[in-house]
Amino acid sequence: MNKPVLDYLFGLSGQVAIVTGSTKGIGLAAARALARAGARVVISSRSQADCDRVADELAADGFEAIGSECDVSDSDALAGLVARTEQQWGRIDILVCNAAVSLHRGPNLDIDDASFDATMTANVRSIMWLCKQAMPIMARQGGAVVLMSSIAGLRGNTMLGTYGVSKAAEMALARNLALEWGPSGIRVNAIAPGLIKTDFAKALWQDPENERAKAAVNPLRRLGRVEDVAGVVVMLASAAGAYINGQVIVVDGGTMIAGPH
């Protein structure tokens, strides 16, 4: 019997997904969307209590989820996250590297060494550590890796320059990993969101006047919602994205193509 087209293209039944930074914001929306598509989801953040809360909420809605505390800046913690996932469900099909930090606002050359190193560790090196642990397991049956980048990695920014540098590195990493692991059946892509209404970006939109000004220069005349990004995560993780590999998909309502105002 043929499956309905949505199940065929976007269904993730039986698959296992790890989502870092998934107790709030884009990560939480991605985890919920993956669960609704049928995946068993590992919720991860620095707080076990928050992980358990989100996992319990998903379970109450009839989805399979577990919570696993993990600081992505700790390579041993990442190894433990992968080990727990494999122990629980015996496989990993989807890896969403969403956790990130932004520790400096201002010119690139004003950042201190410790903040620069911490930013690059959390936003770039952690992905390499996690992929090194998870991708050999994923290669048993193939899968999809989604790196959460940003349009800050595609253009200059006088306030978030170092964050942008780390996000540009993620894009390059997606391309390189896609080349290296494509023969093993693993696709690797990056998403570059624009301004999304999350706590992480609250300083950019919490003032109503500032929000109106930023929405006014967006072709859709609004800021992004977490669900706008979560849908692309599901697409890249599912059969709908089966021939998309090594790409950066911009999700910004058209900000990058809008002319000067």
Side-chain angles (χ1 to χ4, degrees), residues 3-13 15 34 37 94 143-144 187 232-244:
K3 292 182 179 180
V5 66
L6 290 180
D7 289 343
Y8 171 71
L9 287 176
F10 296 98
L12 298 171
S13 179
Q15 297 193 35
L34 291 167
I94 301 160
R187 296 177 294 104
V232 181
V233 172
V234 173
M235 183 269 289
L236 290 174
S238 66
Y243 208 53
I244 302 174

Side-chain angles (χ1 to χ4, degrees), residues 14-90:
Q15 297 193 35
V16 173
I18 295 175
V19 186
T20 65
S22 50
T23 57
K24 59 184 178 180
I26 291 173
L28 174 57
R32 284 175 171 162
L34 291 167
R36 288 182 178 278
R40 295 167 284 181
V41 180
V42 181
I43 302 299
S44 176
S45 78
R46 295 182 185 183
S47 166
Q48 185 63 50
D50 287 342
C51 293
D52 289 341
R53 171 182 53 79
V54 173
D56 289 346
E57 289 172 357
L58 288 172
D61 289 334
F63 305 117
E64 291 188 76
I66 60 171
S68 185
E69 176 183 356
C70 180
D71 179 353
V72 297
S73 295
D74 183 340
S75 60
D76 290 337
L78 289 167
L81 173 64
V82 171
R84 183 178 181 193
T85 303
E86 187 178 24
Q87 181 181 28
Q88 178 75 21
W89 284 313

Side-chain angles (χ1 to χ4, degrees), residues 32-215:
R32 284 175 171 162
L34 291 167
R36 288 182 178 278
R40 295 167 284 181
V41 180
V42 181
I43 302 299
S44 176
S45 78
R46 295 182 185 183
S47 166
Q48 185 63 50
D50 287 342
C51 293
D52 289 341
R53 171 182 53 79
V54 173
D56 289 346
E57 289 172 357
L58 288 172
D61 289 334
F63 305 117
E64 291 188 76
I66 60 171
S68 185
E69 176 183 356
C70 180
D71 179 353
V72 297
S73 295
D74 183 340
S75 60
D76 290 337
L78 289 167
L81 173 64
V82 171
R84 183 178 181 193
T85 303
E86 187 178 24
Q87 181 181 28
Q88 178 75 21
W89 284 313
R91 60 188 292 157
I92 301 170
D93 303 273
I94 301 160
L95 185 62
V96 181
C97 300
N98 170 73
V101 300
S102 179
L103 301 177
H104 174 73
R105 291 180 61 82
N108 272 298
L109 300 187
D110 288 348
I111 192 171
D112 61 84
D113 288 349
S115 295
F116 182 87
D117 290 344
T119 298
M120 298 306 289
T121 293
N123 295 2
V124 183
R125 189 175 290 122
S126 69
I127 295 173
M128 297 179 67
W129 285 335
L130 184 53
C131 287
K132 188 173 183 178
Q133 293 288 335
M135 291 176 83
I137 299 170
M138 298 173 71
R140 297 171 188 167
Q141 72 284 320
V145 177
V146 180
L147 310 185
M148 199 59 64
S149 187
S150 168
I151 62 170
L154 291 169
R155 62 183 187 180
N157 190 308
T158 58
M159 294 302 293
L160 298 173
T162 302
Y163 176 77
V165 168
S166 73
K167 292 302 173 177
E170 285 187 34
M171 297 176 189
L173 187 56
R175 289 187 286 268
N176 291 333
L177 291 175
L179 282 174
E180 295 166 4
W181 288 87
S184 298
I186 300 176
R187 296 177 294 104
V188 186
N189 293 286
I191 298 175
L195 180 52
I196 308 297
K197 292 189 70 172
T198 63
D199 286 344
F200 186 83
K202 198 169 185 178
L204 300 176
W205 61 264
Q206 62 182 339
D207 177 77
E209 184 175 342
N210 195 30
E211 180 180 352
R212 284 192 295 271
K214 291 186 179 302

